[in-house]
Amino acid sequence: MYLCDMAKILIINGPNLNLLGTRETDTYGVMSLQEIENQCVKNFPKHHISFFQSNIEGELIDAIQRTNAEAVVLNAGGYTHTSVAIRDAIAASELPVVEVHISNISARESFRHTSLLSPVCAGVIFGFGVDGYGLAIVASLRLLGYDF
Ligand code: CA2
């Protein structure tokens, strides 16, 4: 990695996040996933940011296994709280993975207070709304030693 080079970062979104902006806007905001993705591209023009969303656990695992990105930003949605399989995929990948949640999961139902993924992630950003994606990209770039 060299300063000023272009980083490759993959943003993965899990189940139901394809519905962003259409309902539960008090919790998740009014932006659609496409708008969030467009904003990430616009805000980090020097870097290659790619995107993947799936409602299927195995597809999220395939995306982690197959990526050639240098870092992953992951909002695994509800699988955050249940998926040993996604945790194992993150651990096996040896990639820096930054976990993101739009909402403040600590301020919600107790079943959302535990993330099975956090212990194998580089770090976690939650509670800052959809700005969390941009913050996670900054965190990934810093981890990798890139300028932004
Ligand atoms: O706050 C987050 O980003 C979450 O990862 C969102 C998940 C939830 O299960 C996690 O506990 C926290 C749920 C995503 C559901 O997304 C929707 C978006 C719009 C409308 C309905 C659901």
Side-chain angles (χ1 to χ4, degrees):
M1 102 197 85
Y2 303 98
L3 289 182
C4 298
D5 273 1
M6 177 175 276
K8 279 196 216 128
I9 297 176
L10 173 63
I11 316 274
I12 300 178
N13 278 287
N16 298 308
L17 289 156
N18 55 311
L19 299 176
L20 283 171
T22 65
R23 55 195 85 152
E24 297 193 41
T25 51
D26 286 353
T27 308
Y28 300 118
V30 296
M31 283 178 82
S32 68
L33 186 56
Q34 185 64 63
E35 288 168 338
I36 294 166
E37 292 177 352
N38 292 347
Q39 196 167 69
C40 290
V41 169
K42 191 172 139 220
N43 289 343
F44 298 93
K46 293 201 297 189
H47 299 288
H48 184 264
I49 318 281
S50 57
F51 304 93
F52 180 73
Q53 189 278 330
S54 177
N55 294 325
I56 300 168
E57 188 176 20
E59 289 188 355
L60 299 172
I61 292 166
D62 285 344
I64 294 165
Q65 287 186 3
R66 291 174 184 162
T67 188
N68 65 357
E70 296 154 88
V72 170
V73 170
L74 173 64
N75 185 347
Y79 287 138
T80 302
H81 317 295
T82 63
S83 180
V84 173
I86 293 176
R87 176 194 174 117
D88 290 344
I90 295 168
S93 78
E94 295 178 357
L95 284 170
V97 175
V98 179
E99 179 180 347
V100 173
H101 301 287
I102 296 166
S103 62
N104 180 350
I105 52 176
S106 287
R108 299 184 65 191
E109 306 95 321
S110 58
F111 66 85
R112 296 186 205 274
H113 297 180
T114 301
S115 165
L116 296 191
L117 312 184
S118 299
V120 292
C121 286
V124 188
I125 292 168
F126 63 86
F128 295 104
V130 299
D131 288 346
Y133 290 96
L135 295 170
I137 292 170
V138 169
S140 303
L141 292 171
R142 293 198 63 127
L143 276 174
L144 294 167
Y146 285 96
D147 247 349
F148 50 89

